[in-house]
Amino acid sequence: MKRGMCSLRRGGPLLAMVALSFWTLFGAVFDAPAAHAETVVAVSSSPADGDVVATSPTTIVVTFNQQIGSTATTVIVCNGATISTATPTLSPDLLSLNVDLTATPLPKGTCNVRWSVIGITETAVEFDTFSFDIEQDTAAATTAVTLAPTDAVSTPTVAESNQATSSEADDSTSNLGGPLGLARLVSMLSVAILFGALVLITVAWPEGVEYILTIRFIRLTWLAALASTGVMVVCLTAQATGKGFGASLSPTNWTELTDTTPGIAALARVVLVVAIGWVALRPDRAIDPTTQLPALAIPALAVATMGFSRTGGDLVPIGYAAGVGHALAMSVWLGGLMLLGRVVLTGPGDDDLVHAVRGFSRLATPAMLLTVLTGAVQLYRMDSGHLSDTTHGRLMVFKVLPVIAMVVIGTATRQFVHARMSRAESMTAPLASRLRRTVGFEAALGVMILAITSWMLSTQPGNLVAGPRSSGDFASQMQFDDANATLDAKLSLHPARVGANELLLEITKPATGISLIVVQFTPPESAVNAHPVTMTITELTGTGAAYLSPDIGLPLDAVGAWTVTLEVTTPAGLLKQNGLLNVRSNGSTSTATIPSVAETPITAAPQTTTSTTVPSG
C-alpha cells in the first residue's frame, strides 16, 4: 500500500505536466479565434499625439500592435485643408505605416492625421486619428482643394502652391495681383472721370470745350484709361490661361476671357475705351446736337461694364441693374468733382465757371442719392450676414466710412454753393481757391472708395456663391462608371488648360451612402516641376453635384496627360477608377477619354471626415 502510494506520488508531477500540456493545447485551439480577432491599434506614432514640432516632419510613422495589409490609407488635414501627400508605404516587418512628406511639407498650424488599415489576417477596417502642432511654416509643394456641394452656403477653400504655374510660361503669373489691382483702379477711375466730365460739359458748361486746359485734361485721362484697361485685360488673361504677362500681350489670347461675364465685360471696356478716343480728341462733339448722343453713349457703356464685374448669387438681374446704376451715378458724381477741381476752379473766371459749379450742384445731389441707394442694394445682396466673417464684407464696412464722409462734405459744399453763389456773376480767386480745396478733398475720398472697390473685386462676397453651368458647356468631360453599375459619375472641367479651371462633379450612383469622395490629379511624369492636386468632397452623400467656380478654380500647372483618380467611399466598399485628362497651355481643349476600368472594391467601414469650409474673402 505504501509502495502504491509512493508510486502515485512519484507519478504526480508527470501527470500534472501531461494535464498542463493538454490544457495548453486545448486552450490554444479554442482560444485561437479570439487571438485572431484582436483589434488592430496604433501603439505609437511619430510625431506623437499632442506633440509640438518646430517644422514639418519629413515622415509620419504609425506603428501598430500587429502586422497590417497593403490596404492602408492616411488623410492629413492641416488648418481645415486636406493635404495631398505621397501614397503611404509599409515597413518591411509590416508593423508600421510611413508617409513621406519630403516633397509635401505641412504648413504651420494644427494637423490631424487619420489612418485606416486592415490587419494581415482580418477583413475589418480599423481607423483612428491623432494630431500635432507645427510652429513654423514650410513651403508646400502640392495643392489641396476642398469642395462643398453646390447648394452649400460657404465657398470652397483652396490652398495654392507657391511655385510657378507652368514650366512653359515665359514668366510667372503669381505676382500679377498687384498690377491687376492697380490697373483696374486706374481704369475705373479714368473711365468714370471721362463720362462724368462729358456729362457736366454737356449739361452745364458747354463753354468748357473752348478751354485748352479742358481738352488737355480729357485727352490725358483717355490715354490713362486706354493704357490701364489694356494692362487690366492682359493681367486677367494671364490669370485665366496660366501664361505669363508677356505671353498674354497678344490680343489673340484675350478670347480666353469670353468664358465668363466679367471677362466679356473687360473685353467690351477695351473696345469702348478705344472708341472714346473719337470724342476725347474732339470734346466739342459732346455739345454738337448731331454727335451728342454717341459722344455720351460710348463712355456711358464703358462705365456700365463695371456693373458686370460680379456674377452669381440670387437676383442676378437686380444685381446687374444695381451695379450699372451704381457705376453711372458714381461716375457723374466723381467725374464732375475731378473736372471742377482740375479745370474749372484752377483760378478766377467769368460767369461760365459759376454756371459749371451750379450745374454740378444740381447733378451731384441725385447722383449721390442714387450711388448710396444702389450701393445699399449691392451690400445687402452680396454681404448681408457676412459683414464680419469674409474679407469682402469687412472691406464693405470699411468702404462705408469714406462714403459717409463724402456725403457729409458734399452736402455741406452744395449748401455753400447755393447760399454764396446763387447770385454771383463771376468766379473770384478766393472763392475758387476755397471751393477747390473742398472739392479736392471730396474727390480724394472718391478715389479712396474706388481703391477699396478695386480691392474688393479680388475677394469673394459671402452671398455670391457661383452655381454650376450645364456640364455640356464644359470643354472636357470624363465619365466614370463600371460594369456592375455601382458607380456613375461625370467630371467636367473648363477650359482644361494650365491655370485655374472651373470644375463640376456630378454623382448619379450611388444614390445614397457616400461618406467621402476624393479626386486626385497627378501630373505627367515628364512635368518635373508640376504638383499633384487633391480634391476632397465631404458633404456630398449621394446623388448631386459639387462645383468649383472659375473665380477660385482648380489649379493645374503642367501641360500633358494628367492621371485622374476618383475614389468614392461607401458602406459597401471603396469604388475607385482612373482616367486621363489632356491639359493644354494655349487655350485649345479636347474631350478627355477615360479607359474602361473595372471597379476596385475594398472592404472598408464608412469613413466620416469633418471638413471645415471657410468662405473666401
Side-chain angles (χ1 to χ4, degrees), residues 97-177:
L97 185 64
N98 306 314
V99 183
D100 186 7
L101 300 177
T102 304
T104 57
L106 303 179
K108 173 184 176 181
T110 300
C111 293
N112 298 299
V113 180
R114 176 188 176 90
W115 54 263
S116 174
V117 299
I118 299 178
I120 197 70
T121 58
E122 299 297 320
T123 59
V125 173
E126 301 296 339
F127 54 87
D128 203 351
T129 62
F130 64 95
S131 62
F132 56 95
D133 293 330
I134 301 176
E135 293 182 325
Q136 298 179 8
D137 250 327
T138 307
T142 61
T143 304
V145 181
T146 303
L147 261 73
T150 58
D151 56 354
V153 175
S154 57
T155 59
T157 62
V158 177
E160 294 188 4
S161 167
N162 58 359
Q163 305 296 324
T165 57
S166 174
S167 58
E168 290 196 3
D170 55 58
D171 51 12
S172 174
T173 62
S174 60
N175 298 320
L176 291 177

Coordinates of all heavy atoms in Angstrom, one line a residue, residues 97-177:
L97 N 3.3 52.1 -40.7 CA 2.8 52.8 -41.9 C 3.6 54.1 -42.0 O 3.6 54.9 -41.0 CB 1.3 53.0 -41.7 CG 0.6 53.6 -42.9 CD1 0.6 52.7 -44.1 CD2 -0.9 53.9 -42.6
N98 N 4.2 54.3 -43.1 CA 5.1 55.5 -43.3 C 4.5 56.4 -44.4 O 4.1 56.0 -45.5 CB 6.5 55.1 -43.7 CG 7.1 54.1 -42.7 OD1 7.0 54.3 -41.5 ND2 7.7 53.0 -43.2
V99 N 4.5 57.7 -44.1 CA 4.0 58.7 -45.1 C 5.2 59.7 -45.3 O 5.6 60.4 -44.4 CB 2.8 59.5 -44.5 CG1 2.3 60.5 -45.6 CG2 1.7 58.6 -44.2
D100 N 5.7 59.7 -46.5 CA 6.9 60.6 -46.9 C 6.4 62.0 -47.1 O 5.5 62.2 -48.0 CB 7.6 60.0 -48.1 CG 8.8 60.8 -48.4 OD1 9.2 61.6 -47.6 OD2 9.4 60.5 -49.5
L101 N 6.9 63.0 -46.4 CA 6.5 64.4 -46.5 C 7.6 65.2 -47.1 O 7.5 66.4 -47.1 CB 6.1 64.9 -45.2 CG 4.9 64.2 -44.5 CD1 4.6 64.9 -43.1 CD2 3.6 64.3 -45.3
T102 N 8.6 64.6 -47.7 CA 9.8 65.3 -48.2 C 9.3 66.3 -49.3 O 9.8 67.5 -49.3 CB 10.8 64.4 -48.8 OG1 11.2 63.5 -47.7 CG2 12.0 65.2 -49.2
A103 N 8.5 65.8 -50.2 CA 8.0 66.7 -51.3 C 6.8 67.5 -50.9 O 6.5 68.5 -51.7 CB 7.7 65.8 -52.5
T104 N 6.2 67.2 -49.8 CA 4.9 67.9 -49.4 C 5.0 68.3 -48.0 O 4.3 67.8 -47.1 CB 3.7 67.1 -49.7 OG1 3.9 65.8 -49.0 CG2 3.5 66.8 -51.2
P105 N 5.9 69.3 -47.6 CA 5.9 69.7 -46.2 C 4.6 70.3 -45.7 O 3.9 70.9 -46.5 CB 7.1 70.7 -46.2 CG 7.1 71.2 -47.6 CD 6.8 70.0 -48.4
L106 N 4.2 70.0 -44.5 CA 3.0 70.5 -43.9 C 3.1 72.0 -43.5 O 4.2 72.4 -43.1 CB 2.6 69.6 -42.7 CG 2.4 68.1 -43.1 CD1 2.1 67.4 -41.8 CD2 1.4 67.9 -44.2
P107 N 2.0 72.7 -43.5 CA 2.1 74.1 -43.1 C 2.0 74.3 -41.6 O 1.7 73.4 -40.9 CB 0.8 74.7 -43.8 CG -0.2 73.6 -43.8 CD 0.7 72.3 -44.0
K108 N 2.3 75.5 -41.2 CA 2.2 75.9 -39.8 C 0.8 75.8 -39.3 O -0.2 76.1 -40.0 CB 2.7 77.3 -39.6 CG 2.5 77.9 -38.2 CD 2.9 79.4 -38.2 CE 2.6 80.0 -36.9 NZ 3.0 81.4 -36.8
G109 N 0.6 75.2 -38.1 CA -0.7 75.1 -37.5 C -1.0 73.7 -37.0 O 0.0 73.0 -36.7
T110 N -2.3 73.4 -36.8 CA -2.6 72.1 -36.3 C -2.9 71.1 -37.4 O -3.7 71.4 -38.3 CB -3.9 72.2 -35.4 OG1 -3.6 73.1 -34.3 CG2 -4.3 70.9 -34.8
C111 N -2.3 69.9 -37.3 CA -2.5 68.9 -38.4 C -3.1 67.7 -37.7 O -2.7 67.2 -36.7 CB -1.2 68.6 -39.0 SG -0.5 69.9 -40.0
N112 N -4.2 67.2 -38.3 CA -4.8 65.9 -37.9 C -4.6 64.8 -38.9 O -4.7 65.0 -40.1 CB -6.4 66.2 -37.8 CG -6.7 67.2 -36.7 OD1 -6.4 67.1 -35.6 ND2 -7.3 68.3 -37.2
V113 N -4.2 63.7 -38.4 CA -3.8 62.5 -39.2 C -4.8 61.4 -38.9 O -5.0 61.0 -37.8 CB -2.4 62.0 -39.0 CG1 -2.1 60.8 -39.9 CG2 -1.4 63.1 -39.2
R114 N -5.5 61.0 -40.0 CA -6.5 59.9 -39.9 C -5.9 58.7 -40.6 O -5.6 58.8 -41.8 CB -7.8 60.3 -40.4 CG -8.8 59.1 -40.4 CD -10.1 59.5 -41.1 NE -11.1 58.4 -41.2 CZ -12.0 58.2 -40.3 NH1 -12.1 59.0 -39.3 NH2 -12.9 57.2 -40.5
W115 N -5.7 57.5 -40.0 CA -5.2 56.4 -40.6 C -6.3 55.3 -40.7 O -7.2 55.2 -39.8 CB -4.0 55.8 -40.0 CG -4.1 55.5 -38.5 CD1 -3.7 56.3 -37.5 CD2 -4.7 54.3 -37.9 NE1 -4.0 55.7 -36.3 CE2 -4.6 54.5 -36.5 CE3 -5.3 53.2 -38.4 CZ2 -5.1 53.5 -35.6 CZ3 -5.7 52.2 -37.5 CH2 -5.7 52.4 -36.1
S116 N -6.2 54.5 -41.7 CA -7.2 53.4 -41.9 C -6.4 52.2 -42.4 O -5.8 52.3 -43.5 CB -8.3 53.8 -42.9 OG -9.1 52.7 -43.2
V117 N -6.5 51.1 -41.7 CA -5.7 49.9 -42.0 C -6.6 48.6 -41.9 O -7.6 48.7 -41.3 CB -4.4 49.8 -41.2 CG1 -3.5 51.0 -41.3 CG2 -4.8 49.6 -39.7
I118 N -6.1 47.5 -42.4 CA -6.7 46.2 -42.3 C -5.6 45.3 -41.8 O -4.5 45.3 -42.4 CB -7.3 45.7 -43.6 CG1 -8.4 46.7 -44.1 CG2 -7.8 44.3 -43.5 CD1 -9.0 46.3 -45.4
G119 N -5.9 44.5 -40.8 CA -4.9 43.5 -40.3 C -4.6 42.5 -41.3 O -5.4 42.2 -42.2
I120 N -3.4 41.9 -41.2 CA -3.0 40.9 -42.2 C -3.9 39.7 -42.2 O -4.0 39.0 -43.2 CB -1.5 40.5 -41.9 CG1 -0.9 39.8 -43.1 CG2 -1.4 39.6 -40.7 CD1 -0.6 40.8 -44.3
T121 N -4.5 39.4 -41.1 CA -5.4 38.2 -41.0 C -6.8 38.5 -40.9 O -7.7 37.7 -40.7 CB -5.0 37.3 -39.8 OG1 -5.1 38.1 -38.6 CG2 -3.6 36.8 -40.0
E122 N -7.2 39.8 -41.0 CA -8.5 40.3 -40.7 C -9.1 40.9 -42.0 O -8.4 41.3 -42.9 CB -8.6 41.2 -39.5 CG -8.1 40.6 -38.2 CD -9.0 39.5 -37.8 OE1 -10.2 39.6 -38.0 OE2 -8.5 38.5 -37.3
T123 N -10.4 41.1 -42.0 CA -11.1 41.8 -43.1 C -11.7 43.1 -42.7 O -12.1 43.9 -43.5 CB -12.1 40.9 -43.7 OG1 -13.1 40.6 -42.7 CG2 -11.5 39.7 -44.3
A124 N -11.8 43.4 -41.4 CA -12.4 44.6 -40.9 C -11.4 45.7 -41.0 O -10.2 45.6 -40.7 CB -12.9 44.4 -39.5
V125 N -11.9 46.9 -41.3 CA -11.1 48.1 -41.4 C -11.1 48.8 -40.0 O -12.1 48.9 -39.4 CB -11.6 49.1 -42.4 CG1 -10.8 50.4 -42.4 CG2 -11.5 48.5 -43.8
E126 N -9.9 49.1 -39.5 CA -9.8 49.9 -38.3 C -9.2 51.2 -38.6 O -8.4 51.4 -39.5 CB -8.8 49.1 -37.3 CG -9.3 47.7 -37.0 CD -10.6 47.7 -36.2 OE1 -10.9 48.7 -35.6 OE2 -11.2 46.6 -36.2
F127 N -9.6 52.3 -37.9 CA -9.1 53.6 -38.1 C -9.2 54.4 -36.9 O -9.9 54.1 -35.9 CB -10.0 54.3 -39.2 CG -11.4 54.4 -39.0 CD1 -12.0 55.4 -38.2 CD2 -12.3 53.4 -39.5 CE1 -13.4 55.4 -38.0 CE2 -13.6 53.4 -39.2 CZ -14.2 54.4 -38.5
D128 N -8.3 55.4 -36.8 CA -8.2 56.3 -35.7 C -7.5 57.6 -36.1 O -7.1 57.7 -37.3 CB -7.4 55.6 -34.6 CG -7.8 56.2 -33.2 OD1 -8.5 57.3 -33.1 OD2 -7.3 55.7 -32.2
T129 N -7.4 58.5 -35.2 CA -6.8 59.8 -35.6 C -5.8 60.3 -34.5 O -5.9 59.8 -33.3 CB -7.8 60.9 -35.8 OG1 -8.6 61.1 -34.5 CG2 -8.8 60.6 -36.9
F130 N -4.9 61.1 -34.8 CA -4.1 61.8 -33.8 C -3.7 63.1 -34.5 O -3.8 63.3 -35.7 CB -2.8 61.0 -33.5 CG -1.9 60.7 -34.6 CD1 -0.8 61.6 -34.8 CD2 -2.0 59.6 -35.4 CE1 0.1 61.3 -35.8 CE2 -1.1 59.4 -36.5 CZ -0.1 60.3 -36.7
S131 N -3.2 64.0 -33.6 CA -2.9 65.4 -34.1 C -1.6 65.9 -33.5 O -1.2 65.4 -32.4 CB -4.1 66.3 -33.8 OG -4.3 66.4 -32.4
F132 N -1.0 66.9 -34.1 CA 0.2 67.6 -33.6 C 0.2 69.0 -34.2 O -0.5 69.3 -35.1 CB 1.4 66.8 -34.0 CG 1.6 66.6 -35.4 CD1 2.4 67.4 -36.2 CD2 1.0 65.5 -36.1 CE1 2.5 67.2 -37.6 CE2 1.2 65.2 -37.4 CZ 2.0 66.1 -38.2
D133 N 1.0 69.8 -33.6 CA 1.1 71.2 -34.0 C 2.5 71.5 -34.6 O 3.5 71.0 -34.1 CB 0.9 72.1 -32.8 CG -0.6 72.1 -32.3 OD1 -1.5 71.8 -33.1 OD2 -0.8 72.3 -31.0
I134 N 2.5 72.4 -35.6 CA 3.7 72.8 -36.2 C 3.9 74.3 -36.0 O 3.0 75.1 -36.2 CB 3.7 72.5 -37.8 CG1 3.5 71.0 -38.0 CG2 4.9 73.0 -38.4 CD1 3.3 70.7 -39.5
E135 N 5.0 74.7 -35.5 CA 5.3 76.1 -35.0 C 5.6 77.0 -36.2 O 5.3 78.2 -36.2 CB 6.3 76.1 -34.0 CG 5.9 75.5 -32.7 CD 7.0 75.6 -31.6 OE1 8.2 75.5 -32.0 OE2 6.7 75.7 -30.4
Q136 N 6.3 76.5 -37.2 CA 6.8 77.3 -38.3 C 6.4 76.8 -39.6 O 6.2 75.6 -39.8 CB 8.4 77.4 -38.3 CG 8.9 78.0 -37.0 CD 10.5 78.0 -37.0 OE1 11.1 77.8 -38.1 NE2 11.1 78.4 -35.9
D137 N 6.1 77.8 -40.5 CA 5.7 77.4 -41.9 C 6.8 76.8 -42.7 O 7.9 77.1 -42.5 CB 5.2 78.7 -42.6 CG 3.7 78.7 -42.8 OD1 3.1 77.6 -42.9 OD2 3.1 79.7 -42.8
T138 N 6.4 75.9 -43.6 CA 7.3 75.3 -44.6 C 6.6 75.4 -45.9 O 5.4 75.2 -46.0 CB 7.6 73.9 -44.2 OG1 8.1 73.8 -42.9 CG2 8.7 73.3 -45.2
A139 N 7.3 75.8 -46.9 CA 6.7 75.9 -48.3 C 6.1 74.6 -48.7 O 6.8 73.6 -48.7 CB 7.7 76.4 -49.3
A140 N 4.8 74.6 -49.1 CA 4.1 73.4 -49.6 C 4.5 73.2 -51.0 O 4.7 74.1 -51.8 CB 2.6 73.5 -49.4
A141 N 4.4 71.9 -51.4 CA 4.7 71.6 -52.8 C 3.6 71.0 -53.5 O 3.6 70.6 -54.7 CB 5.9 70.6 -52.9
T142 N 2.4 70.9 -52.9 CA 1.2 70.4 -53.5 C 0.0 71.3 -53.3 O 0.1 72.3 -52.5 CB 0.8 69.0 -53.0 OG1 0.6 69.1 -51.6 CG2 2.0 68.0 -53.3
T143 N -1.0 71.1 -53.9 CA -2.2 71.9 -53.8 C -3.4 71.0 -53.2 O -3.6 69.9 -53.6 CB -2.7 72.4 -55.1 OG1 -1.5 73.1 -55.7 CG2 -3.8 73.3 -55.0
A144 N -4.1 71.6 -52.3 CA -5.3 70.9 -51.7 C -6.5 71.7 -52.0 O -6.5 72.9 -51.8 CB -5.1 70.6 -50.2
V145 N -7.6 71.1 -52.4 CA -8.8 71.7 -52.7 C -9.9 71.1 -51.9 O -10.0 69.8 -51.9 CB -9.1 71.7 -54.2 CG1 -10.4 72.4 -54.5 CG2 -8.0 72.3 -55.0
T146 N -10.8 71.8 -51.2 CA -11.9 71.3 -50.5 C -13.2 71.8 -51.2 O -13.3 73.0 -51.2 CB -11.9 71.7 -49.0 OG1 -10.7 71.2 -48.5 CG2 -13.1 71.0 -48.3
L147 N -14.0 71.0 -51.6 CA -15.3 71.4 -52.3 C -16.4 71.1 -51.4 O -16.5 70.2 -50.6 CB -15.5 70.6 -53.6 CG -15.1 71.3 -54.9 CD1 -13.6 71.3 -55.0 CD2 -15.7 70.6 -56.1
A148 N -17.4 72.0 -51.5 CA -18.7 71.8 -50.9 C -19.7 71.5 -52.0 O -19.5 71.8 -53.1 CB -19.1 73.0 -50.1
P149 N -20.9 70.9 -51.6 CA -22.0 70.7 -52.6 C -22.4 72.1 -53.2 O -22.2 73.1 -52.6 CB -23.1 70.0 -51.8 CG -22.4 69.4 -50.7 CD -21.2 70.3 -50.3
T150 N -23.1 72.0 -54.3 CA -23.5 73.3 -55.0 C -24.5 74.1 -54.2 O -24.6 75.3 -54.4 CB -24.1 73.0 -56.4 OG1 -25.2 72.1 -56.2 CG2 -23.1 72.3 -57.3
D151 N -25.2 73.4 -53.3 CA -26.2 74.2 -52.5 C -25.6 74.7 -51.2 O -26.4 75.1 -50.3 CB -27.5 73.4 -52.3 CG -27.1 72.0 -51.6 OD1 -25.9 71.7 -51.4 OD2 -28.1 71.3 -51.2
A152 N -24.3 74.5 -50.9 CA -23.8 74.9 -49.7 C -23.7 76.4 -49.6 O -23.5 77.1 -50.7 CB -22.4 74.3 -49.5
V153 N -23.7 77.0 -48.4 CA -23.6 78.4 -48.3 C -22.2 79.0 -48.4 O -21.9 80.0 -49.0 CB -24.2 78.9 -46.9 CG1 -24.1 80.3 -46.7 CG2 -25.7 78.4 -46.9
S154 N -21.3 78.2 -47.8 CA -19.9 78.7 -47.8 C -19.2 78.3 -49.1 O -19.6 77.4 -49.8 CB -19.1 78.1 -46.7 OG -19.2 76.7 -46.7
T155 N -18.2 79.1 -49.4 CA -17.5 78.9 -50.7 C -16.3 77.9 -50.5 O -15.8 77.8 -49.4 CB -16.9 80.2 -51.2 OG1 -16.1 80.8 -50.2 CG2 -18.0 81.1 -51.6
P156 N -15.8 77.2 -51.5 CA -14.7 76.3 -51.4 C -13.5 77.0 -51.0 O -13.3 78.2 -51.3 CB -14.6 75.7 -52.7 CG -15.9 75.9 -53.4 CD -16.4 77.2 -52.8
T157 N -12.6 76.3 -50.3 CA -11.3 76.9 -49.9 C -10.2 76.2 -50.8 O -10.3 75.0 -51.0 CB -11.0 76.7 -48.4 OG1 -10.9 75.3 -48.2 CG2 -12.1 77.3 -47.6
V158 N -9.3 77.0 -51.1 CA -8.2 76.5 -52.0 C -6.9 76.9 -51.4 O -6.6 78.1 -51.1 CB -8.3 77.0 -53.4 CG1 -7.1 76.5 -54.2 CG2 -9.6 76.6 -54.0
A159 N -6.0 75.9 -51.1 CA -4.6 76.2 -50.6 C -3.7 76.0 -51.8 O -3.5 74.9 -52.2 CB -4.2 75.3 -49.5
E160 N -3.2 77.1 -52.4 CA -2.5 77.0 -53.6 C -1.0 76.9 -53.4 O -0.4 77.4 -52.4 CB -2.8 78.2 -54.5 CG -4.2 78.3 -55.0 CD -4.4 79.4 -56.0 OE1 -3.4 80.0 -56.3 OE2 -5.5 79.6 -56.3
S161 N -0.3 76.2 -54.3 CA 1.2 76.1 -54.2 C 1.8 77.5 -54.5 O 1.3 78.3 -55.3 CB 1.6 75.1 -55.3 OG 3.0 75.2 -55.4
N162 N 2.9 77.7 -53.9 CA 3.6 78.9 -54.2 C 4.7 78.8 -55.3 O 5.6 79.6 -55.4 CB 4.3 79.5 -52.9 CG 5.3 78.5 -52.3 OD1 5.4 77.4 -52.9 ND2 5.9 78.8 -51.2
Q163 N 4.6 77.8 -56.1 CA 5.5 77.5 -57.1 C 5.0 78.1 -58.4 O 3.9 78.6 -58.5 CB 5.7 76.0 -57.3 CG 6.2 75.3 -56.0 CD 7.5 75.8 -55.6 OE1 8.4 76.1 -56.4 NE2 7.7 75.9 -54.3
A164 N 5.8 78.2 -59.4 CA 5.4 78.7 -60.8 C 4.3 77.8 -61.3 O 4.3 76.6 -61.1 CB 6.6 78.7 -61.7
T165 N 3.4 78.4 -62.1 CA 2.3 77.7 -62.6 C 2.6 76.8 -63.7 O 2.0 75.8 -63.9 CB 1.2 78.6 -63.0 OG1 1.7 79.5 -64.0 CG2 0.7 79.5 -61.8
S166 N 3.6 77.1 -64.5 CA 3.9 76.2 -65.7 C 5.3 76.4 -66.1 O 5.8 77.5 -66.1 CB 2.9 76.6 -66.8 OG 3.3 75.9 -68.0
S167 N 5.9 75.3 -66.5 CA 7.3 75.4 -67.0 C 7.3 76.0 -68.3 O 8.4 76.4 -68.8 CB 7.9 74.0 -67.0 OG 7.1 73.1 -67.8
E168 N 6.2 76.0 -69.0 CA 6.2 76.6 -70.4 C 5.9 78.1 -70.4 O 6.0 78.7 -71.4 CB 5.1 75.8 -71.2 CG 5.5 74.4 -71.6 CD 4.7 73.9 -72.7 OE1 3.9 74.6 -73.2 OE2 4.9 72.7 -73.0
A169 N 5.4 78.6 -69.3 CA 5.1 80.0 -69.2 C 6.4 80.8 -69.3 O 7.4 80.5 -68.6 CB 4.3 80.4 -68.0
D170 N 6.4 82.0 -70.0 CA 7.6 82.7 -70.1 C 7.9 83.5 -68.8 O 9.0 83.9 -68.6 CB 7.6 83.6 -71.3 CG 6.4 84.5 -71.3 OD1 6.3 85.3 -70.3 OD2 5.6 84.5 -72.2
D171 N 7.0 83.8 -68.0 CA 7.2 84.3 -66.7 C 6.1 84.0 -65.8 O 5.1 83.5 -66.2 CB 7.4 85.9 -66.8 CG 6.2 86.5 -67.5 OD1 5.2 85.9 -67.8 OD2 6.3 87.7 -67.8
S172 N 6.3 84.2 -64.5 CA 5.3 83.7 -63.5 C 4.1 84.6 -63.5 O 4.2 85.8 -63.6 CB 6.0 83.7 -62.1 OG 5.0 83.4 -61.2
T173 N 2.9 84.0 -63.2 CA 1.7 84.8 -63.1 C 1.3 85.0 -61.7 O 0.3 85.6 -61.4 CB 0.5 84.1 -63.8 OG1 0.3 82.8 -63.2 CG2 0.9 84.0 -65.3
S174 N 2.1 84.5 -60.7 CA 1.8 84.5 -59.3 C 1.9 85.9 -58.7 O 1.4 86.2 -57.7 CB 2.7 83.6 -58.5 OG 4.0 83.9 -58.7
N175 N 2.6 86.9 -59.4 CA 2.8 88.2 -58.9 C 1.9 89.2 -59.6 O 2.3 90.4 -59.6 CB 4.3 88.6 -59.0 CG 5.1 87.7 -58.2 OD1 4.8 87.3 -57.1 ND2 6.3 87.3 -58.7
L176 N 0.8 88.8 -60.3 CA 0.0 89.8 -61.0 C -1.1 90.4 -60.2 O -1.8 91.2 -60.8 CB -0.6 89.0 -62.2 CG 0.4 88.6 -63.3 CD1 -0.3 87.8 -64.4 CD2 1.1 89.8 -63.9
G177 N -1.2 90.0 -59.0 CA -2.3 90.6 -58.2 C -2.2 92.1 -58.0 O -3.1 92.8 -58.1

